[in-house]
mmCIF file of all heavy atoms in Angstrom:
data_model
loop_
_atom_site.group_PDB
_atom_site.id
_atom_site.type_symbol
_atom_site.label_atom_id
_atom_site.label_comp_id
_atom_site.label_asym_id
_atom_site.label_seq_id
_atom_site.Cartn_x
_atom_site.Cartn_y
_atom_site.Cartn_z
ATOM 1 N N LEU D 63 131.382 236.395 214.024
ATOM 2 C CA LEU D 63 130.492 235.692 213.069
ATOM 3 C C LEU D 63 129.035 236.127 213.284
ATOM 4 O O LEU D 63 128.266 236.293 212.345
ATOM 5 C CB LEU D 63 130.642 234.204 213.151
ATOM 6 C CG LEU D 63 131.977 233.631 212.700
ATOM 7 C CD1 LEU D 63 132.109 232.165 213.059
ATOM 8 C CD2 LEU D 63 132.136 233.845 211.179
ATOM 9 N N ASP D 64 128.669 236.194 214.565
ATOM 10 C CA ASP D 64 127.274 236.496 214.953
ATOM 11 C C ASP D 64 126.961 237.927 214.476
ATOM 12 O O ASP D 64 125.900 238.157 213.905
ATOM 13 C CB ASP D 64 127.179 236.382 216.464
ATOM 14 C CG ASP D 64 125.751 236.478 216.931
ATOM 15 O OD1 ASP D 64 124.888 235.662 216.476
ATOM 16 O OD2 ASP D 64 125.457 237.332 217.756
ATOM 17 N N LYS D 65 127.887 238.858 214.702
ATOM 18 C CA LYS D 65 127.645 240.295 214.348
ATOM 19 C C LYS D 65 127.541 240.424 212.803
ATOM 20 O O LYS D 65 126.618 241.066 212.290
ATOM 21 C CB LYS D 65 128.828 241.103 214.865
ATOM 22 C CG LYS D 65 128.661 242.615 214.540
ATOM 23 C CD LYS D 65 129.811 243.456 215.114
ATOM 24 C CE LYS D 65 129.555 244.879 214.848
ATOM 25 N NZ LYS D 65 130.704 245.576 214.312
ATOM 26 N N ALA D 66 128.391 239.720 212.065
ATOM 27 C CA ALA D 66 128.379 239.767 210.609
ATOM 28 C C ALA D 66 127.047 239.217 210.097
ATOM 29 O O ALA D 66 126.445 239.729 209.152
ATOM 30 C CB ALA D 66 129.546 239.007 210.036
ATOM 31 N N ALA D 67 126.563 238.089 210.699
ATOM 32 C CA ALA D 67 125.342 237.477 210.285
ATOM 33 C C ALA D 67 124.160 238.410 210.572
ATOM 34 O O ALA D 67 123.278 238.555 209.704
ATOM 35 C CB ALA D 67 125.143 236.145 211.018
ATOM 36 N N ARG D 68 124.155 239.110 211.684
ATOM 37 C CA ARG D 68 123.049 240.039 212.028
ATOM 38 C C ARG D 68 123.041 241.210 211.017
ATOM 39 O O ARG D 68 121.972 241.611 210.614
ATOM 40 C CB ARG D 68 123.233 240.548 213.459
ATOM 41 C CG ARG D 68 122.927 239.546 214.469
ATOM 42 C CD ARG D 68 123.073 239.999 215.916
ATOM 43 N NE ARG D 68 123.058 238.969 216.852
ATOM 44 C CZ ARG D 68 121.957 238.278 217.250
ATOM 45 N NH1 ARG D 68 120.795 238.632 216.763
ATOM 46 N NH2 ARG D 68 122.079 237.256 218.080
ATOM 47 N N GLU D 69 124.244 241.685 210.675
ATOM 48 C CA GLU D 69 124.300 242.813 209.705
ATOM 49 C C GLU D 69 123.751 242.335 208.348
ATOM 50 O O GLU D 69 122.987 243.063 207.733
ATOM 51 C CB GLU D 69 125.763 243.302 209.558
ATOM 52 C CG GLU D 69 126.187 244.108 210.804
ATOM 53 C CD GLU D 69 127.717 244.454 210.736
ATOM 54 O OE1 GLU D 69 128.352 244.172 209.727
ATOM 55 O OE2 GLU D 69 128.197 245.001 211.725
ATOM 56 N N GLN D 70 124.196 241.188 207.865
ATOM 57 C CA GLN D 70 123.784 240.731 206.566
ATOM 58 C C GLN D 70 122.254 240.381 206.575
ATOM 59 O O GLN D 70 121.542 240.735 205.614
ATOM 60 C CB GLN D 70 124.570 239.472 206.176
ATOM 61 C CG GLN D 70 124.213 238.936 204.747
ATOM 62 C CD GLN D 70 124.456 239.982 203.634
ATOM 63 O OE1 GLN D 70 125.515 240.597 203.632
ATOM 64 N NE2 GLN D 70 123.466 240.169 202.827
ATOM 65 N N LEU D 71 121.800 239.792 207.641
ATOM 66 C CA LEU D 71 120.341 239.509 207.755
ATOM 67 C C LEU D 71 119.585 240.779 207.767
ATOM 68 O O LEU D 71 118.503 240.849 207.132
ATOM 69 C CB LEU D 71 120.062 238.652 208.977
ATOM 70 C CG LEU D 71 118.768 237.841 208.923
ATOM 71 C CD1 LEU D 71 118.972 236.662 207.960
ATOM 72 C CD2 LEU D 71 118.384 237.362 210.272
ATOM 73 N N GLY D 72 120.084 241.787 208.413
ATOM 74 C CA GLY D 72 119.405 243.126 208.490
ATOM 75 C C GLY D 72 119.279 243.721 207.086
ATOM 76 O O GLY D 72 118.239 244.327 206.742
ATOM 77 N N LYS D 73 120.343 243.589 206.266
ATOM 78 C CA LYS D 73 120.264 244.078 204.905
ATOM 79 C C LYS D 73 119.235 243.349 204.124
ATOM 80 O O LYS D 73 118.433 243.999 203.389
ATOM 81 C CB LYS D 73 121.667 243.896 204.220
ATOM 82 C CG LYS D 73 122.699 244.852 204.719
ATOM 83 C CD LYS D 73 124.071 244.552 204.087
ATOM 84 C CE LYS D 73 125.178 245.366 204.742
ATOM 85 N NZ LYS D 73 126.480 244.999 204.253
ATOM 86 N N TYR D 74 119.163 242.047 204.224
ATOM 87 C CA TYR D 74 118.097 241.279 203.551
ATOM 88 C C TYR D 74 116.752 241.695 204.111
ATOM 89 O O TYR D 74 115.770 241.820 203.350
ATOM 90 C CB TYR D 74 118.267 239.769 203.719
ATOM 91 C CG TYR D 74 119.311 239.208 202.804
ATOM 92 C CD1 TYR D 74 120.318 238.358 203.330
ATOM 93 C CD2 TYR D 74 119.327 239.396 201.399
ATOM 94 C CE1 TYR D 74 121.325 237.762 202.437
ATOM 95 C CE2 TYR D 74 120.246 238.880 200.637
ATOM 96 C CZ TYR D 74 121.250 238.064 201.114
ATOM 97 O OH TYR D 74 122.194 237.493 200.301
ATOM 98 N N GLY D 75 116.630 241.895 205.401
ATOM 99 C CA GLY D 75 115.378 242.328 206.024
ATOM 100 C C GLY D 75 114.886 243.637 205.403
ATOM 101 O O GLY D 75 113.730 243.818 205.061
ATOM 102 N N ASP D 76 115.800 244.657 205.345
ATOM 103 C CA ASP D 76 115.504 245.904 204.726
ATOM 104 C C ASP D 76 115.041 245.743 203.265
ATOM 105 O O ASP D 76 114.018 246.313 202.845
ATOM 106 C CB ASP D 76 116.649 246.857 204.827
ATOM 107 C CG ASP D 76 116.964 247.332 206.238
ATOM 108 O OD1 ASP D 76 116.124 247.100 207.153
ATOM 109 O OD2 ASP D 76 118.108 247.817 206.426
ATOM 110 N N GLU D 77 115.834 245.010 202.516
ATOM 111 C CA GLU D 77 115.533 244.816 201.087
ATOM 112 C C GLU D 77 114.215 244.181 200.820
ATOM 113 O O GLU D 77 113.479 244.493 199.859
ATOM 114 C CB GLU D 77 116.684 243.976 200.482
ATOM 115 C CG GLU D 77 116.568 243.840 198.942
ATOM 116 C CD GLU D 77 117.703 243.014 198.372
ATOM 117 O OE1 GLU D 77 118.794 242.863 199.008
ATOM 118 O OE2 GLU D 77 117.547 242.505 197.240
ATOM 119 N N TYR D 78 113.878 243.211 201.651
ATOM 120 C CA TYR D 78 112.607 242.426 201.444
ATOM 121 C C TYR D 78 111.444 242.896 202.362
ATOM 122 O O TYR D 78 110.378 242.242 202.375
ATOM 123 C CB TYR D 78 112.866 240.922 201.647
ATOM 124 C CG TYR D 78 113.684 240.356 200.516
ATOM 125 C CD1 TYR D 78 115.045 240.414 200.569
ATOM 126 C CD2 TYR D 78 113.116 239.825 199.396
ATOM 127 C CE1 TYR D 78 115.842 239.914 199.500
ATOM 128 C CE2 TYR D 78 113.858 239.283 198.334
ATOM 129 C CZ TYR D 78 115.212 239.368 198.418
ATOM 130 O OH TYR D 78 115.969 238.884 197.352
#
Side-chain angles (χ1 to χ4, degrees):
L63 291 171
D64 190 58
K65 182 179 183 227
R68 289 180 193 284
E69 288 173 5
Q70 184 60 49
L71 203 73
K73 289 177 187 173
Y74 281 130
D76 291 346
E77 185 179 340
Y78 288 87

